[in-house]
Amino acid sequence: MTQLTANFSLAEMIKSETALRKGLDNTPGEVEIGNLGILCKNVLQPVRDHFAKGVKVNSGYRSPEVNAAVGGSKTSDHCRGQAADIEIPGVANADLAQWIADNLEYTQLILEFYTPGVPDSGWVHVSYDPKDLKKQNLTATRKDAKTVYLPGLVA
């Protein structure tokens, strides 16, 4: 098993329930594997070290086929191995997103489908492109059955 950092393996960063269910290949290339290592080193491992709890990776790398199957953006950072959707059991997703915003460098941070007062609702999307550490913060929510992105972390 290839370890990307002390607590993150390549296997968990490419695991996809959708790929398994639909028989899709979700094998990354060398560039994507390198990007996953950079994401883990700069974001996921520091999160794990700070909270001292396991970080659940809901979605890491996605092949173009897997990304299409989950309805992801055609330009998704997941397809380059530069993004992960994460949660930490027992830590409110709004608190997780705020800690990342306050303490780490990143490209984009999205608090996705969080319901105030429901700590484990939604998840946190975080991307890391070393050439574009713009620290963009967004909140994804549903309005009239469509996904709407609000500026900032709205919890």
Side-chain angles (χ1 to χ4, degrees):
M1 175 171 64
T2 302
Q3 281 298 121
L4 300 172
T5 63
N7 296 101
F8 292 93
S9 68
L10 179 59
E12 75 183 297
M13 295 303 296
I14 67 173
K15 182 177 186 216
S16 166
E17 301 291 337
T18 300
L20 291 170
R21 203 168 35 252
K22 297 187 177 238
L24 301 172
D25 183 11
N26 200 44
T27 306
E30 284 184 37
V31 169
E32 292 81 8
I33 292 170
N35 288 340
L36 287 167
I38 291 167
L39 172 68
C40 289
K41 178 178 174 247
N42 290 285
V43 180
L44 303 190
Q45 191 64 49
V47 165
R48 169 70 171 78
D49 293 344
H50 172 76
F51 287 97
K53 292 181 172 196
V55 175
K56 181 175 181 239
V57 178
N58 298 330
S59 180
Y61 171 76
R62 293 184 203 146
S63 68
E65 297 77 21
V66 170
N67 191 59
V70 301
S73 160
K74 285 183 173 55
T75 59
S76 174
D77 290 334
H78 287 277
C79 296
R80 291 187 295 279
Q82 294 180 321
D85 296 340
I86 62 173
E87 297 179 73
I88 300 176
V91 175
N93 285 316
D95 294 343
L96 172 57
Q98 192 62 58
W99 186 85
I100 294 170
D102 292 344
N103 294 282
L104 300 177
E105 295 293 317
Y106 54 88
T107 301
Q108 189 179 59
L109 180 65
I110 308 174
L111 180 58
E112 302 215 37
F113 309 108
Y114 179 77
T115 303
V118 185
D120 64 349
S121 61
W123 62 90
V124 175
H125 166 97
V126 63
S127 65
Y128 190 94
D129 177 349
K131 297 183 194 87
D132 187 20
L133 298 174
K134 61 188 175 190
K135 292 188 78 159
Q136 179 185 39
N137 296 333
L138 299 169
T139 299
T141 187
R142 291 226 192 285
K143 187 168 187 173
D144 301 326
K146 291 195 171 168
T147 300
V148 177
Y149 292 93
L150 307 172
L153 300 176
V154 182

